[in-house]
Amino acid sequence: MATNITWHEGLTHAERVELRGQQGLTIWFTGLSASGKSTIATALEQHLLNARKINAYRLDGDNIRFGLNKDLGFSEADRNENIRRIAEVSKLFADSAAVALTSFISPYRADRDSARALHDKAGLPFVEVFVDIPVEVAEQRDPKGLYKKARAGEIKEFTGISAPYEAPLKPEVHILNDKITVEQAVQQIVEYLEAQKYI
Ligand code: ADP
């Protein structure tokens, strides 16, 4: 643990928001594997960048594990640490007056609440988006064949099969993603962001 360190105060968040002309925030997607988090987050990122000219960047579950979090596995402790680091990184993006989109299963309520608390403490908006589908539908979609492997016992501690998923109690946006299209899901989030005047 570092002790001889002091926080360096540079530009304030308000100054960055003013200079960039956009709000910084984190949009935190949570849901089962294959619920549609990455697909919706990517479509939203594209919409924000292209149609709105808003700087947005998506932190993706697998991609982060290739680099920043390549030392972590899928035990509960490692999943906690995975989410803690993502929360810190998304907070930096939000603080820079960008829109951070995170697409991670993030199955534990306490971890997501910690991510939220981190943003709250810094005065940065945190929008939890629950991408909700029944596990049977996720299992049918299964584009990466992961449920199949989990059922065969080839993947241990697989969320929804052999590890828990704790659904959000009060997400800012609740998407019933077995009932609507990706475009409708994006629209639902955009309407929330507009209503809050975040975009
Ligand atoms: P996750 O990131 O949650 O693991 P993905 O974004 O990879 O999930 O989506 C899983 C699969 O479900 C993909 O094949 C994707 O095309 C499909 N999908 C996502 N959203 C919808 C939707 N609203 N309707 C139908 N299929 C969808």
Side-chain angles (χ1 to χ4, degrees):
M1 292 285 269
T3 45
N4 291 318
I5 54 171
T6 8
W7 183 262
H8 183 263
E9 200 61 65
L11 282 174
T12 65
H13 175 66
E15 283 168 329
R16 282 191 211 100
V17 167
E18 169 86 29
L19 289 167
R20 266 200 157 168
Q22 69 169 72
Q23 182 65 252
L25 68 142
T26 291
I27 305 176
W28 190 282
F29 291 82
T30 174
L32 293 173
S33 178
S35 59
K37 301 178 296 299
S38 300
T39 307
I40 298 169
T42 302
L44 178 60
E45 182 187 16
Q46 211 154 32
H47 172 80
L48 293 174
L49 283 164
N50 192 19
R52 306 290 183 113
K53 307 300 173 207
I54 289 171
N55 186 27
Y57 185 73
R58 189 175 70 92
L59 299 163
D60 170 89
D62 280 358
N63 298 0
I64 286 281
R65 284 180 179 275
F66 278 108
L68 179 66
N69 290 357
K70 67 176 172 189
D71 56 326
L72 301 177
F74 289 90
S75 68
E76 184 163 350
D78 278 7
R79 283 180 194 247
N80 295 151
E81 178 59 13
N82 184 44
I83 297 306
R84 191 192 68 79
R85 291 186 200 170
I86 307 306
E88 290 284 356
V89 173
S90 62
K91 186 192 122 183
L92 293 176
F93 273 87
D95 189 40
S96 82
V99 177
L101 303 119
T102 69
S103 46
F104 302 85
I105 300 173
S106 44
Y108 300 111
R109 208 171 281 139
D111 290 345
R112 297 191 304 266
D113 287 348
S114 303
R116 180 188 290 280
L118 199 68
H119 286 74
D120 284 353
K121 206 171 149 205
L124 298 166
F126 183 87
V127 177
E128 191 173 7
V129 177
F130 179 24
V131 184
D132 189 4
I133 64 171
V135 69
E136 303 76 47
V137 179
E139 203 162 351
Q140 277 160 21
R141 287 186 184 165
D142 200 17
K144 299 179 200 157
L146 297 176
Y147 284 90
K148 217 169 159 195
K149 282 190 185 167
R151 288 282 184 205
E154 289 166 35
I155 307 176
K156 291 194 181 71
E157 303 184 86
F158 192 77
T159 302
I161 304 292
S162 45
Y165 178 76
E166 298 172 359
L169 299 176
K170 274 180 74 182
E172 275 74 12
V173 184
H174 187 172
I175 292 172
L176 301 175
N177 204 33
D178 59 328
K179 300 198 167 62
I180 59 174
T181 64
V182 172
E183 292 69 30
Q184 287 170 325
V186 169
Q187 187 55 30
Q188 195 183 329
I189 301 167
V190 165
E191 278 169 18
Y192 175 82
L193 297 175
E194 286 176 343
Q196 299 297 317
K197 306 213 180 331
Y198 293 151
I199 61 172

